Amino acid sequence: MGTSKTAHSDSSNKKKRGPGTLATAYLVIYNVVMTAGWLVIAVGLVRAYLARGSYHGLYYSIEKPLKFFQTGALLEVQSEDSVLLFVVAWTVTEIIRYSFYTFSLLNHLPYLIKWARYTFFIVLYPMGVAGELLTIYAALPYVQKTGLYSITLPNKYNFSFDYHTFLILIMISYIPLFPQLYFHMMRQRKKVLGHVEEYSKVE
């Protein structure tokens, strides 16, 4: 019995054990760099807005760092308003997210960052999704007209791909996915912050 308990205890300790020193150092550096990168984007947005006095043209002032830190942005910009909507949402979200990861790895997570991680999404997530959908929708005529990223037959691979249809399917996929992800985050918020907020009410 004693041996069994000891073996179970050792197994539990191994499962709870975090990444090694080198892995932790790498992850901390990575998250610090990503936090700094998104801060550069945030500062760039603010500086460009203050210099121009308008949000028009702001996207192009942060286009290069944005493409570096947020890979996979394949759409040509057809509507800057919608792009700025999700860029602002992404920027604030990523600064909070990578700060959260960094302090968690260092076992010193300030409550403010923890709270922001599980609260700001309430506004930022719908804001980002709305911006993404509006950007895709605005790009559809351009994609269809130019055949952007599409592959037509005949070709030696006997394969075709319609990027316009692909984007429409992506938009449709938001209908079932967005509510699931959003309410999952709401449940996580209640799980992580719920007991703290209930305690504050009692106080």
Side-chain angles (χ1 to χ4, degrees):
M1 289 289 289
T3 304
S4 176
K5 286 182 179 179
T6 303
H8 179 72
S9 177
D10 290 342
S11 176
S12 297
N13 288 335
K14 285 179 182 177
K15 287 181 181 178
K16 291 179 181 178
R17 204 171 289 165
T21 305
L22 285 176
T24 300
Y26 166 78
L27 290 170
V28 168
I29 292 170
Y30 171 80
N31 285 296
V32 167
V33 169
M34 293 303 291
T35 303
W38 284 99
L39 279 170
V40 166
I41 293 171
V43 171
L45 280 172
V46 173
R47 288 183 62 185
Y49 178 78
L50 292 175
R52 298 168 188 263
S54 168
Y55 66 86
H56 294 295
L58 287 186
Y59 170 77
Y60 299 102
S61 67
I62 49 93
E63 183 178 11
K64 289 182 179 178
L66 177 65
K67 286 184 175 180
F68 180 80
F69 287 100
Q70 182 68 44
T71 57
L74 299 176
L75 284 175
E76 294 292 324
V77 176
Q78 301 297 311
S79 173
E80 191 183 346
D81 294 354
S82 59
V83 170
L84 285 175
L85 197 62
F86 73 74
V87 166
V88 170
W90 278 357
T91 302
V92 177
T93 298
E94 298 294 49
I95 290 171
I96 294 170
R97 183 163 73 101
Y98 287 111
S99 298
F100 177 88
Y101 291 156
T102 300
F103 285 107
S104 294
L105 286 164
L106 296 172
N107 295 315
H108 188 70
L109 179 62
Y111 178 75
L112 181 61
I113 292 178
K114 182 179 179 180
W115 178 86
R117 166 73 169 156
Y118 290 99
T119 301
F120 279 29
F121 81 90
I122 295 172
V123 173
L124 294 176
Y125 193 14
M127 178 178 163
V129 167
E132 289 173 12
L133 287 172
L134 289 170
T135 300
I136 295 173
Y137 180 76
L140 286 176
Y142 175 84
V143 171
Q144 188 174 37
K145 181 181 178 180
T146 61
L148 183 70
Y149 303 128
S150 294
I151 301 171
T152 58
L153 290 171
N155 58 65
K156 63 179 180 179
Y157 300 107
N158 197 31
F159 169 81
S160 65
F161 173 72
D162 186 1
Y163 189 53
H164 180 265
T165 302
F166 174 75
L167 290 178
I168 292 173
L169 292 174
I170 290 292
M171 292 177 71
I172 294 171
S173 73
Y174 277 74
I175 297 171
L177 293 178
F178 172 74
Q180 291 183 44
L181 294 172
Y182 189 76
F183 288 115
H184 170 72
M185 287 298 293
M186 291 295 286
R187 289 191 294 271
Q188 288 295 104
R189 183 180 191 277
K190 186 176 181 181
K191 181 179 177 181
V192 175
L193 301 180
H195 67 284
V196 177
E197 293 181 350
E198 287 173 10
Y199 178 79
S200 299
K201 288 178 182 177
V202 172
E203 289 288 310

